[in-house]
Amino acid sequence: MIRQFTRPLSLHGPIRVPPPSLVVFNGETGKTGDPNSLHSTFAEALHSFTAPPLPSPTSVLCIIFFPASSFPPASPLPIWVLTPAKGYGGADEVKMLERHLRETPVKIGVGANRAAIAASFFQRHGYMNPKDNSTRTNLCVDRIGAAVLDDGMQHLNVWRDIEIVMVNAMMPWGNHRLLPLGPLREPFTALNRADFVVVHHADLVSKQDIEAIESTVRKFNESVPIFFSTLAPLYFMKAGNISCKLSLKDISKAIILCVSAIGSADSFVQRIKKMGPMLVDRLDFRDHHLFLPEDIDMIRKRLQKLESEFASTPIVVVTEKDYDRAPEVLKHLNYEVLVLCSSLQILSSKGSKEDGFKKCLRQCLETRLSGGYTT
C-alpha cells in the first residue's frame, strides 16, 4: 500500500525500459503453481510475431526476481546476469526456464533490481525500439525486442506496457488478507491495473468456483479480458536420462509417490490421479525446498513402506521444477524417478482459445505502442 502512495511523489517517475515490458504477476505468494510455463508462453508468442507491433526476428528478455537466500555458490550461471544475486531453491525456476527456452533467443536475467538487470542486457546485446524505424530496418536476432518480468506488478518503479495477473483457481484469494497476515501480495484494487487475468488450473475446479472468481475480478475491473488455463501433462522423462520419454499411460495401475516442493501441490497430485494409477501417495515440502539427506531418508522409508504394503515396487513422480532444482539428489533414492513434463494451455471458454489470447496480446501491444513512449 505504501508503494502505491509514494509512487506519485517520485521525482523521476517509474523507470521505462526501451522495448515493450510485460509483467506476469501471481496474486498470491507461491500458490499459482507454475507461472514459468506462462512466461515461456509469452516469450514464445512474442518471438513468433512477424509483423508489428514487434520487429522480427526479436529476442525476449525474461527478468526473474530472486531475493538473497540459499543459492548454491558453485552453481553455474550460463546466461543469467548478476551472479552475486542469490535465488531460493537453487534457482529452480531459472533452470527450468533455461531448459525450456534453450532453442530460442530468449535471455534470462536474475536479480532483485529489475531496471539494473535490464540495463546491463540492453548494453550487452542492444535492443529494438518498435517506435524507432531504424531498429526495424537493421534487424538482429540478438537484440532484445521485449522484456517479460516475473512477479513484477508490485515493482512500481519499473514502467510496464502490459500487466498480466495470474490467479490460482484452486485457492484464488487465500484468507483475503495481505502479507504478512495472508498470502496476497497486492490489495484487490490492484486488479484495476491488470490488462489480462489468467485463471490457472481452471479445469480442476467447479463452474461455480470459476463464476465466483470472475465475479470478484469484475468488481474491481469490469472490462479486463479473462482467460483460463491448465497445466496439461505431456509425458514423463526419466530422472538422470531426460532424453528418455515415457507415455502418461506407463503409470496406470502403478503405485505412485508424488514428491514435490512447489506452491500448488494439490494440482500436481490431482493430475497424477487422473492417469489411473493403483494408488497415489504424496510427500509435500514447502515451495523451493532443497532436498536434504534427511529428506531423502524420509522419502526412501515411505517408498519401502509402500513396497511392503502392496508387494509392488513404487515409482516416484516429481515435477520439472523439483527435478531442475537438484537432479543429482534424486538418484540417491534407489527407486525409479519420473519427471512429469507439462505445458500451459489456454482453455476454450466462451469462444476464447489460445489463438485468441495471442491475438488479444498483439492488439494490446499495438494499442500501447501506437501511443508512443512518454517519459
Side-chain angles (χ1 to χ4, degrees):
M1 294 291 290
I2 295 175
R3 293 192 306 275
Q4 295 182 5
F5 289 116
T6 56
R7 177 182 176 182
L9 301 179
S10 171
L11 295 178
H12 305 288
I15 300 170
R16 179 186 285 282
V17 297
S21 175
L22 289 81
V23 166
V24 184
F25 175 76
N26 298 323
E28 296 180 75
T29 56
K31 294 296 182 185
T32 310
D34 188 12
N36 294 286
S37 294
L38 189 61
H39 302 158
S40 298
T41 300
F42 287 140
E44 291 164 355
L46 291 170
H47 179 59
S48 70
F49 287 171
T50 56
L54 294 181
S56 179
T58 187
S59 184
V60 180
L61 170 62
C62 288
I63 303 179
I64 313 299
F65 167 68
F66 283 124
S69 60
S70 56
F71 200 106
S75 295
L77 299 178
I79 60 172
W80 320 321
V81 295
L82 301 183
T83 54
K86 300 181 179 181
Y88 41 75
D92 48 14
E93 294 177 352
V94 175
K95 293 175 182 177
M96 186 171 70
L97 271 176
E98 191 275 335
R99 180 168 55 82
H100 274 278
L101 300 171
R102 185 172 293 133
E103 301 302 320
T104 74
V106 173
K107 298 168 177 61
I108 302 175
V110 182
N113 190 328
R114 312 300 180 86
I117 298 168
S120 66
F121 268 90
F122 298 148
Q123 183 176 12
R124 184 185 310 172
H125 302 284
Y127 60 86
M128 292 186 287
N129 187 336
K131 301 299 294 182
D132 185 350
N133 289 330
S134 66
T135 62
R136 302 186 66 87
T137 56
N138 298 288
L139 300 180
C140 174
V141 73
D142 287 332
R143 291 185 181 181
I144 295 170
V148 179
L149 278 67
D150 170 58
D151 281 342
M153 196 174 187
Q154 69 270 39
H155 290 263
L156 298 177
N157 65 325
V158 178
W159 185 273
R160 65 291 312 276
D161 295 286
I162 295 180
E163 300 191 64
I164 303 103
V165 173
M166 285 194 74
V167 178
N168 180 4
M170 300 181 71
M171 188 181 293
W173 320 114
N175 62 0
H176 291 223
R177 305 185 75 175
L178 292 168
L179 289 169
L181 301 178
L184 296 182
R185 291 170 170 167
E186 292 284 314
F188 282 103
T189 52
L191 287 169
N192 63 22
R193 307 201 315 264
D195 297 293
F196 299 90
V197 171
V198 178
V199 181
H200 197 37
H201 301 311
D203 58 320
L204 297 180
V205 300
S206 68
K207 180 181 179 181
Q208 290 73 21
D209 290 333
I210 292 296
E211 290 174 348
I213 294 172
E214 285 188 278
S215 177
T216 299
V217 172
R218 293 298 178 207
K219 287 179 182 177
F220 300 95
N221 194 329
E222 294 182 357
S223 60
V224 65
I226 302 177
F227 294 89
F228 304 91
S229 66
T230 179
L231 199 60
L234 301 177
Y235 55 86
F236 292 107
M237 64 182 185
K238 282 192 172 184
N241 182 14
I242 60 175
S243 62
C244 179
K245 297 181 180 180
L246 302 176
S247 168
L248 299 176
K249 297 179 181 179
D250 286 356
I251 69 165
S252 63
K253 301 182 180 180
I255 307 298
I256 301 297
L257 176 62
C258 292
V259 177
S260 65
I262 58 177
S264 183
D266 287 344
S267 61
F268 168 52
V269 174
Q270 281 197 37
R271 297 193 191 283
I272 294 298
K273 287 181 177 179
K274 288 186 175 184
M275 298 176 195
M278 180 186 298
L279 175 94
V280 177
D281 197 2
R282 63 191 288 177
L283 280 174
D284 304 337
F285 297 84
R286 62 178 174 80
D287 197 14
H288 304 292
H289 177 72
L290 279 167
F291 296 127
L292 303 173
E294 51 265 37
D295 299 323
I296 297 300
D297 288 340
M298 179 175 63
I299 297 170
R300 189 184 297 112
K301 288 178 180 178
R302 179 69 69 87
L303 290 165
Q304 291 169 348
K305 181 181 178 182
L306 290 171
E307 188 170 10
S308 175
E309 289 181 0
F310 295 94
S312 177
T313 304
I315 299 173
V316 178
V317 177
V318 300
T319 69
E320 292 181 83
K321 179 174 165 179
D322 295 303
Y323 176 75
D324 285 322
R325 185 184 309 119
E328 298 300 320
V329 172
L330 297 171
K331 294 180 180 179
H332 298 291
L333 288 173
N334 298 322
Y335 281 85
E336 184 175 20
V337 179
L338 299 182
V339 183
L340 178 63
C341 297
S342 306
S343 173
L344 186 139
Q345 296 179 3
I346 301 297
L347 298 170
S348 297
S349 176
K350 301 177 181 179
S352 174
K353 298 182 180 180
E354 186 162 353
D355 287 345
F357 172 77
K358 292 180 180 179
K359 181 180 179 181
C360 196
L361 176 63
R362 175 191 289 274
Q363 290 175 341
C364 187
L365 268 176
E366 288 176 340
T367 300
R368 297 295 166 80
L369 298 181
S370 65
Y373 284 114
T374 59
T375 55

